[in-house]
Amino acid sequence: MPTIGPVHPSVLTEDLFTDTLIAASTERRFLPYDKHIRWSDSKDETVLVQDIVHQPSETLIPTLSRRGAGMVKVHLYGTEPGSALAATELAQKLAAQRGAAKTRIVRFSGPEVADGRGTRIQLQDFKTAACPTPDGPVRLLREWPAGVQDTFAGFAEQMTADGFAFLCRLMQAGTVGPVLTAVVKGKVAGAIGPMEIRPDAIGTPQLMPQYFGVLSEHRGKGLGRLLWRAAMHWGQNHKAVYQLLQTEVGGASDRLCQSEGLTSLGFTYWQAV
């Protein structure tokens, strides 16, 4: 969904599109089920409703992000040969009108595509199987001794590129849920969080996306899988019905989720134009 991201198939209704378009007319407004509401006080991306192109063979939905120098994205729903060119021309025109420095085309394909690329959308369904507590050095950060907790800041600094420095600031402000951590020799070596459950657009409890990473020197030892299983146990134990994840096709997280039996819902990929 433009500005929202992946949604569960049962949530994808005409009402959801309508809500998204209505929200776009209100300056920087979040929908209550928007996962981005956890990170900011105002929405930095909105749908350019007046510039939507909707035809029997294709639909083009442009959005404008105000972050940095600005970006226009055109979400392309269609498979006609000329659709990509139409989306490119629309993105470039709107970027010039809005003063945005970047343009991007976002495209989609279903799970039946054998050579999927870009980002895989994966579903963890907590109703289909039990998620037992994993056996290993993983606990909520607050459950470790104070000396171990103090090492999280150093871990977060090393994992800045994975979003943990940002997460650490939110944790210090007390504005996010708990974080699961893996500890080796008294220091945090990996983490996944924040652990939070929120209702989706039809009120179903979903486990929200998390930051997830292990220090490079501790990779390949099974810590990532322990953290993942601990997160899934936490989600199921706290009554989440499902979680949606986005993983880079062929990446470590993608391989982990596939080996853990998650359902692939399809692929999204983008190109700069």
Side-chain angles (χ1 to χ4, degrees), residues 125-143:
D125 188 340
F126 292 115
K127 303 188 303 296
T128 59
C131 300
T133 306
D135 183 18
V138 175
R139 302 180 194 171
L140 294 174
L141 179 62
R142 65 191 182 206
E143 294 177 353

Side-chain angles (χ1 to χ4, degrees), residues 86-264:
T88 297
E89 291 176 346
L90 179 60
Q92 292 173 340
K93 181 187 77 171
L94 294 177
Q97 292 176 351
R98 302 282 179 157
K102 299 179 181 180
T103 54
R104 179 177 292 183
I105 304 301
V106 185
R107 306 187 70 173
F108 313 92
S109 59
E112 71 282 353
V113 177
D115 58 344
R117 54 189 169 124
T119 300
R120 190 192 312 269
I121 311 303
Q122 310 213 46
L123 170 66
Q124 170 70 53
D125 188 340
F126 292 115
K127 303 188 303 296
T128 59
C131 300
T133 306
D135 183 18
V138 175
R139 302 180 194 171
L140 294 174
L141 179 62
R142 65 191 182 206
E143 294 177 353
W144 291 104
V148 174
Q149 295 182 40
D150 291 342
T151 69
F152 185 84
F155 163 83
E157 183 177 354
Q158 292 183 68
M159 300 289 286
T160 296
D162 297 277
F164 280 99
F166 171 68
L167 176 59
C168 188
R169 292 194 295 272
L170 296 180
M171 293 165 63
Q172 291 169 345
T175 59
V176 293
V179 175
L180 287 159
T181 51
V183 171
V184 176
K185 296 182 178 178
K187 295 183 178 180
V188 174
I192 185 169
M195 305 304 300
E196 297 176 342
I197 295 173
R198 289 174 178 261
D200 65 17
I202 60 174
T204 303
Q206 64 168 318
L207 180 61
M208 304 302 290
Q210 307 98 3
Y211 293 100
F212 179 27
V214 176
L215 292 174
S216 57
E217 62 267 30
H218 294 293
R219 293 172 188 166
K221 302 174 183 176
L223 289 181
R225 192 174 298 276
L226 284 174
L227 283 164
W228 164 258
R229 290 180 175 176
M232 295 306 99
H233 171 75
W234 189 97
Q236 190 174 64
N237 195 48
H238 286 78
K239 310 304 181 184
V241 173
Y242 70 90
Q243 179 174 28
L244 291 175
L245 299 101
Q246 301 180 73
T247 56
E248 181 183 355
V249 173
S253 293
D254 187 55
R255 295 192 298 271
L256 171 62
C257 290
Q258 290 289 283
S259 69
E260 290 289 311
L262 273 69
T263 301
S264 177

Side-chain angles (χ1 to χ4, degrees), residues 1-48:
M1 279 292 300
T3 77
I4 297 293
V7 298
H8 192 279
S10 65
V11 177
L12 190 58
T13 65
E14 182 179 342
D15 289 343
L16 182 59
F17 274 95
T18 300
D19 286 351
T20 303
L21 300 187
I22 291 173
S25 65
T26 304
E27 185 68 13
R28 316 199 91 172
R29 171 190 166 192
F30 277 109
L31 291 167
Y33 47 79
D34 189 332
K35 65 178 181 294
H36 302 101
I37 200 171
R38 300 186 295 162
W39 314 126
S40 176
D41 293 329
S42 60
K43 185 81 170 172
D44 69 6
E45 184 181 20
T46 55
V47 177
L48 300 175

